[in-house]
Amino acid sequence: MTDVSAAFLIALKDLRMRVRDRSAIMLAIVVPLGLAAIFSLIFGPAATPSPFAYAVADQDHSAISRSFRTDVLTSLEDDGIATVRGMDAADARAAVRDGDLDAAFIFPAGFATSVESQAPAQIDVVGSVDAATATDVARSVATSYTEGLNAVRVAVAAVAHGSDTPSPSPDQLREIADQTVAAVSPVRIRDISAQAHVLDTKTFFAAGMAVFFLMFTVQFGVSSLIEERSEGTLSRLLAAPVRRTAILVGKLLTSIALGVISLTVLVVATSLLLGATWGNPLGVALLIVAGVLAATGITSVVASFAKTPEQAGSWQAVVAVTLGLLGGAFFPIQQTGSVMATLSLVTPHAWFFRGLGSLAGGGAVLNVLPAVAALLVIAALTGALAWRRIARVVAP
């Protein structure tokens, strides 16, 4: 029997044992999938708020008030920022008070006349106490529009009181005002692209739970080596015509196979059941393989210091939770500041998220290569250390 075939037989034997172990299936698939679904349901609505609910009560029925509805608020509707409906002033106030609307714009009768005659004019904004953000946005929109109207007043005043030209007639002043209103863009919406790609809520929690529980899943391979040593089956395996290198490779293949299967199943399941968007399949596949190798290397190093299976499991759990928190498996680590974001780069979790972020929004496969390279470096360093230490466990 060659070393390669022996390693594969050992890996297949361990895989059959783990498939029959319900606790392994729970840790590898059921628990991360369930938590990802729960977190998505809890935090999803908060991360993706609904459009603001506004109303317009136009008691003036003038060209100026209609311009606010058609030119300003329509742009908010087109961009999905708000929904707007026309209502009576009393009904609008009542709807805001009852919480059915976030805010209402009320144009009093005579608004346009006040604007044209230089008299004080105002747009009343009625906001809900439970919708502070929506009210602030509504107030800013109304303020921006009135600032545009002030430009109309300045233009009309300049023409009316100019010394080089005769005083224009009221019709001419009205025409100047209309032209100025048409030229002024009181509210502008700019789309500012983010400096880095950001995962949507469902994908973030799906990836977070998948990579967090990956550290628990891949531990079964090397940990079984310690179990067999404590149970006495390792000595019988060493007595067989199998080189210790084949035994080590077989155990590592078990961890790698379990990790790849777990992540692949979770990617497919969260895409179909939760609507997660992982990105280019080839890029995701590269991240899965590199991430599994890095996780296997880390858990193998931890297990190599343990004397008993229980000790190995406890230490691996502590390391998995610590790296998960530091790597941002439960929340975007960038929110904690630049220091923590820099420290997170020692974890495979952070690089896994970076790789997925580079694939977000249709990113090319080449964009994921830096993250894959970082994961492979982690895998090489920890794997080399683990190999040297674990080799002592199976020493004859």
Side-chain angles (χ1 to χ4, degrees):
M1 180 183 296
T2 64
D3 291 343
V4 176
S5 59
F8 275 105
L9 286 176
I10 293 172
L12 288 175
K13 182 264 296 182
D14 288 348
L15 285 174
R16 283 196 297 267
M17 291 179 59
R18 295 307 171 187
V19 169
R20 296 169 185 168
D21 185 2
R22 294 182 179 179
S23 63
I25 297 177
M26 290 288 292
L27 276 176
I29 298 174
V30 178
V31 174
L33 181 60
L35 288 178
I38 292 173
F39 284 139
S40 297
L41 290 174
I42 293 175
F43 297 105
T48 54
S50 301
F52 301 137
Y54 291 153
V56 177
D58 187 2
Q59 297 176 315
D60 190 45
H61 304 291
S62 64
I64 295 178
S65 60
R66 286 194 298 270
S67 174
F68 180 80
R69 175 66 178 90
T70 57
D71 297 338
V72 178
L73 297 184
T74 299
S75 64
L76 298 181
E77 289 183 293
D78 293 341
D79 290 322
I81 298 175
T83 60
V84 184
R85 49 179 166 163
M87 297 181 67
D88 179 78
D91 294 338
R93 293 179 183 275
V96 171
R97 184 177 58 252
D98 296 339
D100 297 329
L101 289 175
D102 295 323
F105 302 93
I106 299 177
F107 281 82
F111 178 84
T113 303
S114 299
V115 171
E116 295 172 356
S117 64
Q118 309 300 310
Q122 66 179 23
I123 303 173
D124 295 330
V125 177
V126 182
S128 172
V129 295
D130 298 323
T133 301
T135 302
D136 288 340
V137 172
R139 187 180 295 112
S140 298
V141 169
T143 300
S144 179
Y145 186 74
T146 55
E147 289 176 353
L149 293 179
N150 285 332
V152 177
R153 290 184 170 187
V154 172
V156 172
V159 173
H161 301 287
S163 58
D164 297 335
T165 58
S167 300
S169 65
D171 292 338
Q172 289 175 323
L173 288 176
R174 188 174 294 106
E175 182 180 356
I176 294 171
D178 292 339
Q179 291 175 354
T180 309
V181 169
V184 171
S185 179
V187 177
R188 294 180 180 178
I189 300 173
R190 290 193 302 162
D191 182 12
I192 303 176
S193 301
Q195 297 299 318
H197 293 291
V198 179
L199 300 176
D200 62 84
T201 305
K202 294 178 181 179
T203 306
F204 173 80
F205 284 113
M209 294 302 98
V211 72
F212 176 75
F213 282 95
L214 173 65
M215 303 293 292
F216 293 92
T217 302
V218 299
Q219 73 183 13
F220 290 116
V222 178
S223 296
S224 66
L225 191 63
I226 302 176
E227 291 176 5
E228 292 190 18
R229 183 183 63 181
S230 62
E231 294 172 357
T233 57
L234 179 60
S235 58
R236 282 180 282 177
L237 186 60
L238 291 172
V242 179
R243 296 178 61 180
R244 64 175 185 172
T245 302
I247 298 175
L248 290 176
V249 172
K251 297 300 182 180
L252 292 174
L253 284 177
T254 301
S255 293
I256 294 171
L258 287 173
V260 171
I261 292 172
S262 170
L263 283 185
T264 302
V265 171
L266 288 173
V267 168
V268 175
T270 54
S271 298
L272 297 177
L273 301 179
L274 303 181
T277 306
W278 292 80
N280 186 287
L282 179 57
V284 175
L286 292 175
L287 278 176
I288 287 176
V289 174
V292 169
L293 291 175
T296 300
I298 293 173
T299 55
S300 298
V301 169
V302 176
S304 68
F305 287 92
K307 303 297 183 182
T308 64
E310 293 76 16
Q311 192 177 62
S314 299
W315 289 359
Q316 287 171 330
V318 171
V319 171
V321 173
T322 302
L323 292 180
L325 291 172
L326 182 59
F330 296 94
F331 55 89
I333 198 67
Q334 290 80 5
Q335 296 180 356
T336 61
S338 58
V339 175
M340 291 299 296
T342 302
L343 290 175
S344 69
L345 297 181
V346 302
T347 70
H349 307 65
W351 288 107
F352 191 83
F353 280 117
R354 282 201 172 195
L356 288 179
S358 66
L359 296 176
V365 176
L366 293 178
N367 296 341
V368 83
L369 294 183
V372 171
L375 289 170
L376 292 178
V377 169
I378 295 174
L381 295 176
T382 56
L385 177 59
W387 182 271
R388 294 186 60 183
R389 292 193 55 82
I390 296 176
R392 303 173 185 177
V393 177
V394 295

